[in-house]
Amino acid sequence: MKIGRNDPCPCGSGKKYKRCHRGRIFTHQAEKFTISVKKDGVLYKICKIVFHQTKDKKQSAIFVSFPYHKNSKGLLSLMTFPKNTPKVDKLSLVPGGKVTSHKVKYTHWSDGNVHFSQDQKIYTKIKKTSDPLDKAIGHLFSIQIKGVEGFEVKTNAKGYSEKEIDLDFDLGQGTDDSIKITGWWYDSNTIHPQSDRFTKVYTFIKKEGFVNKCFALQAPPNHQLSNKILFLCVRKEFVTKKRGTQLVFIGGFDERQKASNINNDLQFLAMLYPARNYNHLKDQIGSIDFDDSRSLDLSQQKLK
């Protein structure tokens, strides 16, 4: 959409385009975003992304949560990619992993601490240190999904405000609903459009031929993270031949200085829903659910 310099800015600010979004990228600014995917005319809610800051504004964070997935039994893990290994065909989440019967959220704090958690539901055991959010990190996280029908159907849309925004990706027609969502973290002053054409959804075509539909997300003004942009990109990508719905998340990678050296092991956080053979895994590697830990404590007391 080509906009005249003196036309009203399409963002709805009421300002002239030349004094608002001309020459800079359009961003969706809010505290919370609900991300949905449309398949064959039906919208499925996939995840929620939150720009969070503490009440004293001393710390901020990005939350990525998955309250809409129908299966709550998952496997959380601190993963290790072995050093001096250019490529690994398959990594298991079991070493370094714990199971949970709850839907959890991923948190990346401004100081670089990352973890999986859920208040009053699980112990925050799967955690590590990553890059602080004041850096332009680049790749922040990835979400891979097969079978959007395993997520809650979106029945109503929220209003567009600084508090919360709904963003929808359209997969079009067809049976292929394996998708990859990636989050990219950049300084806002280094992001510029390649043309003076206004758009709320950006299309990036990689040299490999992948077509990414991207939204630029930004925290509201006066938020600690408002000087950064989270590019959220979606494309169709094969995930697995296994039947049913599968959700995979990875994030919290080692700091770039360490990760760039192939002589170091690379660590990151990962989660998988549903956890197949859940009861067997629970016996093998244990659970981080509050209730399971209490049951274990009680059984140990009885033995004494």
Side-chain angles (χ1 to χ4, degrees), residues 47-61:
C47 65
K48 188 177 286 291
I49 295 175
V50 178
F51 291 111
H52 170 78
Q53 61 183 358
T54 55
K55 290 183 179 180
D56 58 11
K57 296 186 177 182
K58 290 184 178 180
Q59 276 216 82
S60 53

Side-chain angles (χ1 to χ4, degrees), residues 12 25 62 65 79 89 96 100 103 150 169 244 266 301 303:
I25 196 167
I62 293 175
S65 63
M79 303 282 288
D89 292 330
T100 177
K103 302 170 189 179
F169 292 89
L266 171 65
Q301 289 174 8
L303 288 173

Side-chain angles (χ1 to χ4, degrees), residues 254-289:
D254 279 333
E255 294 176 272
R256 282 181 296 173
Q257 185 175 358
K258 179 182 178 182
S260 61
N261 188 343
I262 196 171
N263 294 314
N264 294 325
D265 287 338
L266 171 65
Q267 289 193 313
F268 57 95
L269 300 186
M271 74 175 189
L272 169 67
Y273 283 81
R276 303 183 189 277
N277 302 315
Y278 176 83
N279 291 328
H280 172 72
L281 285 174
K282 184 176 175 181
D283 291 337
Q284 180 184 357
I285 59 177
S287 166
I288 51 175
D289 290 357

Side-chain angles (χ1 to χ4, degrees), residues 69 144-147 151 239-240 242-248 272-274 276:
H69 192 254
Q144 287 186 299
I145 295 164
K146 176 187 180 293
F151 291 80
V239 176
T240 178
K242 293 179 180 178
R243 294 181 179 181
T245 296
Q246 180 169 300
L247 164 66
V248 177
L272 169 67
Y273 283 81
R276 303 183 189 277

Side-chain angles (χ1 to χ4, degrees), residues 112-123:
N113 284 309
V114 295
H115 58 73
F116 292 119
S117 66
Q118 196 59 269
D119 293 344
Q120 305 302 313
K121 298 288 183 65
I122 71 168
Y123 291 103

